[in-house]
Amino acid sequence: MQQEENYLAQTISQADVDARYDEGVKRLLANKSILAVIMKECVPEYRDCTTKDIAEKYIEGEPQIGAVGVNIDETNRVNPAIHGINTEDATLTEGTIRYDVRFYATAPSEDGLIGLILNVEAQNRYNAGYPLLKRAIYYCSRMISAQHGPIFKKSEYGKIRKVYSIWVCTKPSDEFQNTLTRYSIRPEQLIGNAAEKSENYDLMSVVTICLGKPDTENYTCLLYTSDA
């Protein structure tokens, strides 16, 4: 595969600098071509897919952007284009959370297509006064709990879909620059060798994409693609 320049960093740099964390960059990240590159490099379910197939076959409907707001009673209102998903989760006590980009997708597997729910966030600083990773895990937890009702009812936990929360940090500190890290649930065999199916525990993953400056280590190999 021919390596190109850091595709994601190059594309974001073309956006208005003053709009980096407003509506402009959210819409940029919601572009299916951009999402397809991110998904191919960050989501193992798409490792063998082309970005063209991801954009045209596997992303369902139009990704919703955080500017679209609804109240608590509309969180899971059915919308054929996005299967009832909205960019906000809310409870009476927790307030409102706005996702930058949130959407449904399918992915190929040995047993046919599986359903995923993905969230992509733009972040200025990796160190924002709180552990970003904890915030990302919280987002994953909310995306799982919000499936109660539209995806599964009562004890139908087998229907829960895997979720991804992907964070694009454009101005990380030096030690995080040009890094791509995925955090997932994995078994730890303490006694014996019990073998549970991965689809029963591998239900959430957080990915951090920390971009860097040109001519720094790993710059040219962070999120690149050359397929059609």
Side-chain angles (χ1 to χ4, degrees), residues 12-13 15-22 24-26 122 124 170-171:
I12 288 181
S13 68
D16 183 352
V17 174
D18 293 334
R20 184 164 292 174
Y21 300 107
D22 66 5
V25 79
K26 292 179 184 179
N124 187 352
T170 58
K171 292 183 178 179

Side-chain angles (χ1 to χ4, degrees), residues 16-210:
D16 183 352
V17 174
D18 293 334
R20 184 164 292 174
Y21 300 107
D22 66 5
E23 196 64 19
V25 79
K26 292 179 184 179
R27 293 189 179 279
L28 179 65
L29 289 176
N31 182 283
K32 288 187 177 182
S33 296
I34 302 296
L35 288 176
V37 173
I38 294 173
M39 292 161 70
K40 180 174 176 62
E41 299 297 328
C42 300
V43 181
E45 284 84 355
Y46 299 104
R47 184 178 295 113
D48 299 324
C49 300
T50 66
T51 54
K52 178 180 175 64
D53 281 347
I54 296 172
E56 296 181 358
K57 296 181 180 180
Y58 297 125
I59 296 176
E60 296 188 356
E62 291 298 323
Q64 286 226 331
I65 302 169
V68 179
V70 297
N71 60 42
I72 184 171
D73 296 325
E74 296 175 327
T75 299
N76 289 322
R77 178 172 293 184
V78 174
N79 183 327
I82 55 172
H83 300 271
I85 282 210
N86 200 282
T87 54
E88 292 187 356
D89 278 338
T91 68
L92 292 174
T93 55
E94 296 179 40
T96 298
I97 301 171
R98 297 180 183 272
Y99 298 93
D100 284 358
V101 181
R102 192 181 182 203
F103 60 99
Y104 259 152
T106 56
S109 72
E110 294 180 356
D111 300 322
L113 292 177
I114 59 172
L116 302 173
I117 302 174
L118 297 97
N119 157 235
V120 179
E121 297 287 324
Q123 182 75 8
N124 187 352
R125 295 175 298 157
Y126 189 86
N127 299 313
Y130 55 83
L132 181 65
L133 187 56
K134 287 189 174 183
R135 179 182 175 187
I137 292 172
Y138 174 71
Y139 276 37
C140 281
S141 301
R142 289 298 307 226
M143 285 190 287
I144 286 180
S145 66
Q147 294 180 51
H148 185 266
I151 302 298
F152 75 96
K153 296 177 175 61
K154 297 183 178 179
S155 59
E156 299 174 323
Y157 298 107
K159 295 182 178 180
I160 293 176
R161 299 190 176 193
K162 184 176 181 179
V163 302
Y164 280 90
S165 188
I166 302 172
W167 293 70
V168 181
C169 302
T170 58
K171 292 183 178 179
S173 52
D174 291 345
E175 67 270 26
F176 289 101
Q177 285 192 27
N178 293 325
T179 59
L180 176 59
T181 310
R182 183 168 58 235
Y183 303 86
S184 302
I185 298 176
R186 293 289 182 266
E188 180 182 1
Q189 304 291 355
L190 301 180
I191 299 177
N193 295 294
E196 180 63 82
K197 293 181 179 179
S198 62
E199 59 263 31
N200 292 334
Y201 60 80
D202 186 19
L203 290 176
M204 66 167 67
S205 286
V206 169
V207 179
T208 58
I209 305 170
C210 295

